[in-house]
């Protein structure tokens, strides 16, 4: 068995651990990226922004493009369906925001996105996909910034696109392709198909990153060993567990580490998370943003329902301190949660919502649907 990769090369960008934090809407802001990056080397991607929103200087979009002062490698995921907008947005990211890496989202399964031919629906239009990729690569090339793309297996089992997408990415000068081993129809349900990741590895010469069902560092090692992937993209597995990146860095360094913080140590991380959010957004909004993380941090711990409900309504750091003081700091980590799914799962979709006539043509050049300025989601 070949040795595990010890780094990830994306064009001129060297990532010291072959691990990427998946962009997640409302999650991977500057505060969360900082917590994760402190745990281990890797690439930490800003939540997805829209190309149109950036080009048209939408204020919400601009507020999302905030980087921590210690963020030495700035990475952003861009969403778009129009090659012109995507190219202009990619150049703005390089010229005005000093980003070091641009990722393009072709994996989002959310109906409001696929209905407009975006996200996971777009790779069905091979010609349009090529136009978008080439526009982004041309825009970032003068700055030496690599472009990667994230996609899924296809619309459903009868409409697979990932092998064509890999070929097009390679021909367009894309530095790497990440594959979530599910179809758009599956969304986050069922099991990820790691064999598809292996098939893509065999199909292209550019690095392939594997994504899907990575709950522990051992899962990431197993995926890379089974598929030959150059690295992994970790999403839901790190929710409420920034320290997962410590385990991942150790695993790709040849050491087996499973971090099992006590509830007291988790509470310290919760406080830091809320504090970082407050520094970036102001205390009131920062505490509101923190609420969604409470259930993930406390997953499996014995903390009572009333305390959990109060934490999920916290509106100040002082109130958070009072509530965290009621947790039992010595309670051990619930090892039964190791390897368990986190975040959304849900059910497969009855059908994939697409623009009318979308399946009739697999080329699609010039057929994009005008995107909204405020699409925010992940894939």
């Amino acid at each position: 068995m070949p040795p595990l990769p010890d780094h990830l090369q994306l064009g001129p960008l060297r990532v010291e651990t072959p691990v990427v934090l998946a962009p997640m809407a409302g999650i991977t802001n500057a505060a969360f990226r900082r917590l994760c990056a402190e745990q281990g080397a890797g690439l930490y991607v800003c939540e997805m922004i829209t190309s149109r929103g950036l080009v048209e200087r939408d204020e919400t979009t601009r507020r999302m493009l905030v980087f921590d002062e210690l963020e030495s490698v700035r990475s952003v995921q861009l969403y778009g369906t129009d090659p012109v907008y995507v190219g202009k947005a990619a150049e703005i990211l390089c010229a005005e925001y000093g980003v070091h890496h641009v990722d393009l989202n072709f994996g989002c399964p959310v109906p409001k996105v696929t209905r407009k031919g975006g996200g996971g629906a777009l790779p069905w239009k091979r010609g349009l996909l090529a136009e978008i990729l080439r526009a982004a690569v041309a825009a970032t090339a003068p700055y030496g910034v690599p472009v990667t793309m994230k996609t899924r297996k296809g619309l459903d089992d009868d409409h697979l696109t990932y092998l064509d997408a890999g070929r097009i990415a390679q021909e367009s000068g894309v530095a790497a392709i990440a594959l979530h081993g599910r179809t758009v129809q599956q969304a986050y349900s069922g099991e990820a198909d790691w064999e598809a990741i292996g098939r893509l590895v065999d199909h292209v010469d550019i690095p392939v990153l594997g994504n899907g069902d990575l709950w522990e560092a051992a899962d990431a090692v197993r995926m890379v060993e089974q598929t030959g992937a150059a690295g992994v993209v970790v999403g839901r597995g790190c929710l409420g567990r920034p320290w997962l990146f410590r385990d991942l860095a150790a695993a790709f360094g040849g050491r087996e580490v499973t971090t099992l913080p006590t509830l007291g140590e988790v509470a310290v991380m919760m406080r830091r998370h809320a504090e970082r959010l407050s520094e970036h957004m102001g205390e009131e909004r920062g505490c509101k943003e923190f609420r969604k993380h409470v259930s993930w941090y406390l997953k499996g711990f014995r903390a009572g329902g009333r305390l959990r409900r109060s934490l999920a309504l916290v509106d100040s750091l002082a109130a958070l301190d009072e509530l965290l003081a009621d947790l039992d700091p010595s309670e051990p980590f619930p090892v039964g949660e190791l390897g368990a799914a986190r975040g959304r799962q849900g059910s497969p979709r009855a059908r994939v919502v697409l623009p009318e006539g979308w399946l009739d043509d697999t080329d699609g050049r010039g057929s994009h649907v005008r995107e909204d300025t405020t699409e925010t989601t992940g894939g």
Side-chain angles (χ1 to χ4, degrees):
M1 188 176 293
L4 290 172
D6 63 356
H7 74 284
L8 174 63
Q9 196 70 41
L10 301 176
L13 178 62
R14 178 185 169 101
V15 181
E16 291 305 326
T17 299
V19 175
V20 179
L21 167 65
M24 291 178 279
I27 305 293
T28 56
N29 47 41
F32 189 69
R33 296 196 306 271
R34 165 86 176 251
L35 295 185
C36 293
E38 287 174 347
Q39 300 296 315
L43 189 63
Y44 300 91
V45 188
C46 175
E47 54 191 320
M48 188 189 84
I49 63 163
T50 70
S51 54
R52 185 176 160 215
L54 184 56
V55 171
E56 297 185 357
R57 309 291 173 169
D58 172 66
E59 191 53 41
T60 301
T61 303
R62 292 165 68 116
R63 279 200 301 268
M64 292 167 68
L65 277 170
V66 171
F67 298 94
D68 189 89
E69 64 270 16
L70 295 184
E71 223 164 342
S72 58
V73 177
R74 296 181 170 190
S75 172
V76 175
Q77 188 181 71
L78 196 58
Y79 164 86
T81 57
D82 183 327
V84 174
Y85 269 122
V86 171
K88 287 180 179 177
E91 183 170 11
I92 290 170
L93 287 174
C94 296
E96 298 181 24
Y97 291 89
V99 304
H100 304 86
H101 164 243
V102 175
D103 183 53
L104 298 179
N105 181 310
F106 300 111
C108 177
V110 175
K112 70 174 183 178
V113 171
T114 61
R115 178 179 288 115
K116 296 175 181 175
L122 196 139
W124 181 256
K125 304 291 192 184
R126 277 73 165 176
L128 178 59
L129 176 66
E131 283 187 325
I132 293 173
L133 293 176
R134 286 197 295 265
V137 170
T140 61
Y143 301 90
V145 171
V147 173
T148 61
M149 68 171 281
K150 168 99 176 282
T151 191
R152 286 176 173 250
K153 288 170 57 181
L155 300 173
D156 54 36
D157 288 337
D158 295 324
H159 301 87
L160 299 178
T161 55
Y162 69 103
L163 295 180
D164 282 350
R167 171 184 55 80
I168 293 165
Q170 182 169 308
E171 292 170 352
S172 302
V174 168
I177 179 171
L179 178 62
H180 185 155
R182 288 180 169 89
T183 63
V184 174
Q185 184 177 38
Q186 280 181 277
Y188 299 93
S189 68
E191 292 185 3
D193 178 5
W194 290 4
E195 289 185 8
I197 296 168
R199 284 192 289 273
L200 184 57
V201 170
D202 294 338
H203 188 69
V204 298
D205 297 325
I206 58 176
V208 174
L209 307 177
N211 176 230
D213 295 352
L214 298 174
W215 310 116
E216 305 297 337
D219 297 328
V221 170
R222 199 160 44 84
M223 175 188 275
V224 169
E225 289 176 344
Q226 287 182 15
T227 66
V232 296
V233 178
V234 177
R236 293 172 295 156
C238 69
L239 295 174
R241 298 173 67 205
W243 53 85
L244 179 59
F245 290 96
R246 186 190 316 172
D247 298 356
L248 287 160
F252 283 102
R255 295 173 289 116
E256 189 174 324
V257 174
T258 302
T259 303
L260 299 172
T262 62
L263 184 51
E265 291 168 321
V266 171
V268 170
M269 184 68 80
M270 293 172 73
R271 177 58 164 79
R272 277 207 70 227
H273 194 165
E275 188 176 345
R276 300 299 311 177
L277 284 167
S278 297
E279 287 176 10
H280 283 292
M281 303 176 176
E283 186 170 345
E284 183 179 2
R285 182 169 166 230
C287 287
K288 285 182 178 177
E289 283 290 319
F290 174 72
R291 295 171 182 176
K292 70 183 75 165
H293 297 271
V294 169
S295 61
W296 295 321
Y297 275 116
L298 297 181
K299 195 170 188 288
F301 284 104
R302 291 194 302 265
R306 181 181 298 175
L307 180 55
R308 287 172 185 262
R309 285 191 294 274
S310 297
L311 282 164
L313 295 171
V314 72
D315 57 5
S316 70
L317 293 175
L320 178 62
D321 288 338
E322 279 188 35
L323 293 167
L324 292 178
D326 288 337
L327 297 173
D328 176 3
S330 64
E331 184 180 340
F333 188 85
V335 292
E337 291 297 330
L338 294 175
R342 304 176 80 82
R344 55 190 167 181
Q345 279 110 53
S347 304
R349 308 194 190 288
R351 65 182 181 89
V352 180
V353 182
L354 298 168
E356 187 176 351
W358 190 252
L359 297 178
D360 297 344
D361 162 39
T362 60
D363 183 70
R365 276 173 281 205
S367 68
H368 58 271
V369 179
R370 184 174 170 87
E371 67 201 49
D372 289 338
T373 57
T374 55
E375 297 287 7
T376 53
T377 185

